[in-house]
């Protein structure tokens, strides 16, 4: 655990030091669980968004985009169920006065059992050496099976209690498991209460005529209320999808995990409208497709797993998370939900407007079913950053800090470095910048020894450093250094664009899907 905590702290301080993420309103001591993206962070985030958008919208002729407003008519949230049911169970510790999400306390307890399982696996792998069969060990070892059974039992009981609104049983479970306040160790808990996560605001100038609104807690509803507009104007035929990226707001009870759980965050969502009865097939399709998207970034297949939900939300007939191994363990990165016809039917009922589709293929009229894929852009930033940050031991007994970002996502693709600040080298370097900046985000750096500049770019995640030296004046070549391997090669200036494009081009990455 200590190592994991250390890694997480390093990610947070690196993100600040290298201009990725700052605490919001820092000069006023910050605003809890709200963050700003700095010069590098904004580029990383934009690149992830674009990588998603290209895969989801540009590559599908039956998926179109949308950018709905954050403010929506308040009835939207009545219809969607958020006014009545967008709650988290909260519990306070009477001694430490700290507030927690009751379900998260229980899930964290289970995560500790998971760590015990991982330890057993590691021990056995060591003992058996090459003969070790991990799958078989997990499936047969009595201790591992015991741990797994315990986790399942706890999660099922929690899910049932939450589903039945039996909050007293959630508290009982916390007491029975002897879960203590992580900060103080106290087991003196209040009852569990429900807390609505929506942020309220007002529309209109005068107090009496103002209309109560909510900041949207998810982007999905903007898609549902526009379903018919898009279908008709885009002449879309089922199955088809509407994709959207944008801000969502949740007044989270506990938000202590940097950009993992924020109060203002960005989602990237697809709502895919299908014929009733075909939802199961599309649900499986999107589970698979979304995992492939993640894997195409090369961040390690072992770092992902599916978690099929025991407790289904009121609108879903199947749901799974794609979990990623964050520095604090496997946690939800993306949700894939088979939302049935719940949302369209609810909006139809509350608005009195028909939200149906006429299927010309078999002359039927129906309310489409929906399969949703919903990923938090900020969580993706965190996944990418925490996976990329490594400290490498070098042969000369020094270490280097490298941000091994997938090159397609790197904020800056190449740094152009004149070896010295004189003899016409800066001019050549500037010319290279002027040529390449039409295609890539490029930086110029002439300060400090070139070795130090390399390290700076390594820590920034820049995949290429391009050094202009005295020979460049004669042979029109430069030295290109690769971030991950530190290999250097001599290449013609005129070939730079092709060399960089090969590594950072969205197409070559998405083709791996
Ligand atoms: P959690 O269980 O972690 O609260 P959720 O199941 O409520 O998440 P969804 O409503 O399914 O999340 O939202 C879809 C995605 O939006 C999540 O997979 C996550 O990546 C992201 N997300 C949700 N809440 C937050 C938040 N407070 N901060 C950052 N990202 C979030």
């Amino acid at each position: 655990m200590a190592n994991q905590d250390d890694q997480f702290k390093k990610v947070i301080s690196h993100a600040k030091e290298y201009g990725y993420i700052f605490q919001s309103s820092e000069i006023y001591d910050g605003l809890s669980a709200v963050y700003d993206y700095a010069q590098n962070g904004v580029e990383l985030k934009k690149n992830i968004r674009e990588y998603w958008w290209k895969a989801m919208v540009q590559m599908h002729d039956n998926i179109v985009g949308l950018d709905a407003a954050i403010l929506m008519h308040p009835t939207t949230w009545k219809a969607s169920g958020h006014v009545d049911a967008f709650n988290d169970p909260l519990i306070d510790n009477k001694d430490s006065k700290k507030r927690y999400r009751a379900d998260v306390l229980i899930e964290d307890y289970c995560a500790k059992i998971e760590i015990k399982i991982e330890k057993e696996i590691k021990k056995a792998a060591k003992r058996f050496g090459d003969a070790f069969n991990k799958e078989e060990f997990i499936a047969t070892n009595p201790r591992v099976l015991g741990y797994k059974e315990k986790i399942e039992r706890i999660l099922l009981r929690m899910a049932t209690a939450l589903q039945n609104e039996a909050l007293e049983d959630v508290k009982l479970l916390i007491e029975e498991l002897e879960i203590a306040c992580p900060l103080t160790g106290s087991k003196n808990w209040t009852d569990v209460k429900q807390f609505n996560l929506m942020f309220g605001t007002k529309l209109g100038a005068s107090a009496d005529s103002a209309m109560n609104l909510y900041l949207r807690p998810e982007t999905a509803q903007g898609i549902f209320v526009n379903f018919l507009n898009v279908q008709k104007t885009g002449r879309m035929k089922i199955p088809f999808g509407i994709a959207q990226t944008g801000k969502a707001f949740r007044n989270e009870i506990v938000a202590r995990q940097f950009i993992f759980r924020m109060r203002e965050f960005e989602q990237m969502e697809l709502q895919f409208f299908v014929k009733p009865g075909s939802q199961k097939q599309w649900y499986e399709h999107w589970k698979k497709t979304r995992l492939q998207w993640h894997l195409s970034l090369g961040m390690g297949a072992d770092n992902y797993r599916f978690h099929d939900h025991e407790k289904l939300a009121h609108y879903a007939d199947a749901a799974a998370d794609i979990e990623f191994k964050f520095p604090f363990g496997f946690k939800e990165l993306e949700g894939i939900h088979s939302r049935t016809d719940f949302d369209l039917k609810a909006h139809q009922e509350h608005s009195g407007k028909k939200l149906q589709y006429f299927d010309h293929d078999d002359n039927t009229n129906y309310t489409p079913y929906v399969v949703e894929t919903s990923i938090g852009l900020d969580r993706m930033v965190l996944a990418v950053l925490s996976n990329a940050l490594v400290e490498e031991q070098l042969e000369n007994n020094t270490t280097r800090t490298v941000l091994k970002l997938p090159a397609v996502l790197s904020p800056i693709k190449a740094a152009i470095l004149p070896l010295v600040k004189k003899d016409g080298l800066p001019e050549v370097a500037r010319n290279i910048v002027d040529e390449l900046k039409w295609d890539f985000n490029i930086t110029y750096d002439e300060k400090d020894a070139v070795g130090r500049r390399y390290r700076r770019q390594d820590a920034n995640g820049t995949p290429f450093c391009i050094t202009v030296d005295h020979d460049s004046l004669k042979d029109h070549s430069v030295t290109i250094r690769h971030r991950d391997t530190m290999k250097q090669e001599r290449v013609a200036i005129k070939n730079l664009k092709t060399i960089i494009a090969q590594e950072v081009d969205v197409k070559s990455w998405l083709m791996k899907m």
Side-chain angles (χ1 to χ4, degrees):
M1 265 322 242
N3 271 344
Q4 293 184 342
D5 283 353
D6 277 1
Q7 171 68 2
F8 191 32
K9 280 189 192 135
K10 278 184 192 154
V11 171
I12 297 171
S13 59
H14 194 91
K16 176 166 186 200
E17 191 180 342
Y18 287 89
Y20 276 85
I21 298 156
F22 301 146
Q23 174 79 64
S24 156
S25 333
E26 197 190 63
I27 59 167
Y28 294 106
D29 294 334
L31 187 62
S32 160
V34 186
Y35 292 89
D36 297 341
Y37 285 83
Q39 65 276 18
N40 280 323
V42 68
E43 296 289 341
L44 173 60
K45 203 173 159 193
K46 186 188 77 190
N47 292 342
I48 296 174
R49 197 188 293 113
E50 195 173 294
Y51 195 69
W52 183 88
W53 192 267
K54 286 213 162 137
M56 303 299 273
V57 182
Q58 200 167 320
M59 300 310 293
H60 289 96
D61 57 11
N62 63 346
I63 298 180
V64 291
L66 177 78
D67 184 14
I70 287 171
L71 299 177
M72 298 182 71
H73 192 283
T75 310
T76 310
W77 308 111
K78 190 76 196 147
S80 68
H82 283 80
V83 170
D84 297 320
F86 195 53
N87 301 320
D88 274 343
L90 73 81
I91 189 164
D92 290 303
N93 187 281
K94 288 186 195 161
D95 297 324
S96 68
K97 311 278 183 249
K98 288 282 169 202
R99 178 158 283 185
Y100 296 94
R101 249 174 77 175
D103 55 335
V104 171
L105 280 180
I106 296 168
E107 280 166 9
D108 284 350
Y109 179 90
C110 293
K112 284 191 188 133
I113 309 179
E114 288 267 2
I115 292 172
K116 287 187 187 164
I117 297 178
E118 276 178 29
K119 275 194 184 144
E120 292 291 336
I121 296 172
K122 261 196 194 140
K123 260 197 322 207
K126 230 182 188 172
R127 204 168 47 213
F128 294 113
D130 286 346
F132 182 59
N133 180 332
K134 187 172 161 188
E135 278 70 44
E136 194 185 316
F137 179 79
I138 293 173
T140 55
N141 180 274
R143 210 172 284 162
V144 170
L145 289 176
Y147 285 145
K148 284 191 134 189
E149 197 260 330
K150 186 169 180 192
I151 293 175
E152 270 163 32
R153 199 162 14 95
I154 293 170
L155 291 180
L156 183 67
R157 178 156 160 212
M158 177 178 86
T160 316
L162 288 173
Q163 197 124 42
N164 299 336
E165 290 281 316
L167 298 180
E168 61 295 340
D169 197 40
V170 178
K171 182 181 180 188
L172 212 58
L173 183 59
I174 289 176
E175 286 172 340
E176 281 173 27
L177 296 173
E178 300 192 7
I179 295 177
C181 166
L183 288 177
T184 60
S186 157
K187 293 174 191 158
N188 193 5
W189 297 108
T190 63
D191 288 342
V192 178
K193 281 184 292 197
Q194 292 288 23
F195 173 76
N196 193 290
L197 300 183
M198 282 198 293
F199 276 104
T201 186
K202 285 190 187 300
L203 179 139
S206 78
D208 27 317
S209 64
M211 189 181 197
N212 285 320
L213 296 187
Y214 296 105
L215 300 182
R216 67 179 176 196
E218 63 175 25
T219 55
Q221 300 304 324
I223 296 180
F224 295 130
V225 301
N226 279 299
F227 157 73
L228 213 52
N229 281 341
V230 174
Q231 190 271 319
K232 287 212 176 328
T233 56
R235 300 165 65 221
M236 309 301 291
K237 282 179 77 178
I238 288 227
F240 76 91
I242 304 178
Q244 168 164 236
T245 72
K247 286 277 173 100
F249 302 81
R250 294 182 188 177
N251 198 359
E252 296 280 2
I253 296 170
V254 197
R256 295 196 192 102
Q257 282 165 315
F258 191 38
I259 55 169
F260 181 82
R261 193 174 298 288
M262 304 157 89
R263 297 207 160 95
E264 173 181 344
F265 59 101
E266 191 165 338
Q267 291 186 313
M268 306 194 287
E269 294 198 314
L270 166 73
Q271 306 299 329
F272 197 74
F273 300 92
V274 305
K275 195 168 181 161
S278 67
Q279 70 271 21
K280 181 86 187 130
Q281 166 210 335
W282 284 109
Y283 170 70
E284 294 302 335
H285 167 85
W286 281 111
K287 262 177 88 173
K288 197 167 127 221
T289 308
R290 290 304 303 148
L291 183 64
Q292 280 169 342
W293 180 86
H294 287 282
L295 296 179
S296 73
L297 287 167
M299 301 204 301
D302 283 353
N303 288 327
Y304 300 88
R305 70 179 188 195
F306 281 115
H307 166 234
D308 295 310
H309 282 210
E310 296 88 16
K311 178 199 166 205
L312 292 175
H314 56 280
Y315 51 76
D317 70 1
D321 299 333
I322 296 178
E323 294 187 336
F324 183 76
K325 198 171 184 184
F326 288 96
F328 37 85
F330 272 103
K331 295 273 177 198
E332 172 176 346
L333 171 58
E334 169 157 7
I336 293 129
H337 310 122
S338 177
R339 292 183 79 123
T340 68
D341 55 359
F342 173 86
D343 302 272
L344 289 181
K345 276 220 168 119
H347 287 305
Q348 183 164 286
E349 213 171 276
H350 282 79
S351 67
K353 309 270 166 24
K354 246 187 166 180
L355 293 176
Q356 292 207 331
Y357 174 79
F358 183 73
D359 198 327
H360 287 278
D361 291 342
D362 53 10
N363 287 336
T364 50
N365 224 9
Y366 54 79
T367 308
Y369 270 46
V370 174
V371 176
E372 162 186 85
T373 73
S374 174
I375 173 170
L377 177 48
D378 313 85
R379 275 194 199 176
M380 188 62 194
V381 169
L382 182 60
V384 170
L385 279 181
S386 53
N387 188 67
L389 183 63
V390 287
E391 252 167 55
E392 259 181 13
Q393 202 69 37
L394 300 181
E395 278 167 10
N396 60 0
N397 258 346
T398 57
T399 55
R400 73 164 183 149
T401 304
V402 203
L403 207 50
K404 293 192 169 177
L405 298 171
V408 65
L409 302 182
S410 288
I412 295 167
K413 304 304 186 198
I416 318 297
L417 320 171
L419 188 62
V420 290
K421 254 193 281 184
K422 53 183 185 182
D423 305 334
L425 303 191
E427 287 73 13
V428 177
R430 290 274 185 205
N431 283 341
I432 297 176
V433 172
D434 286 343
E435 184 56 37
L436 293 178
K437 73 184 179 192
W438 291 93
D439 296 288
F440 313 108
N441 213 7
I442 299 291
T443 190
Y444 171 87
D445 188 4
E446 59 177 23
K447 200 168 173 293
D448 299 321
V450 79
R452 293 218 14 215
R453 282 181 268 168
Y454 284 160
R455 292 301 161 81
R456 207 151 48 223
Q457 295 304 330
D458 286 346
N460 248 339
T462 310
F464 297 109
C465 282
I466 292 160
T467 306
V468 175
D469 58 22
H470 291 93
D471 288 342
S472 308
L473 301 175
K474 291 173 250 152
D475 65 5
H476 306 292
S477 295
V478 285
T479 301
I480 187 163
R481 173 183 177 276
H482 299 256
R483 176 197 66 200
D484 296 349
T485 58
M486 293 190 287
K487 279 220 177 92
Q488 302 190 9
E489 32 176 350
R490 196 77 190 162
V491 302
I493 292 173
K494 66 174 174 12
N495 293 338
L496 282 174
K497 183 175 158 185
T498 318
I499 295 170
I500 299 171
Q502 265 165 3
E503 295 240 356
V504 307
D505 189 30
V506 172
K507 181 176 175 189
S508 59
W509 287 79
L510 277 182
M511 293 275 278
K512 292 181 210 150
M513 263 183 82

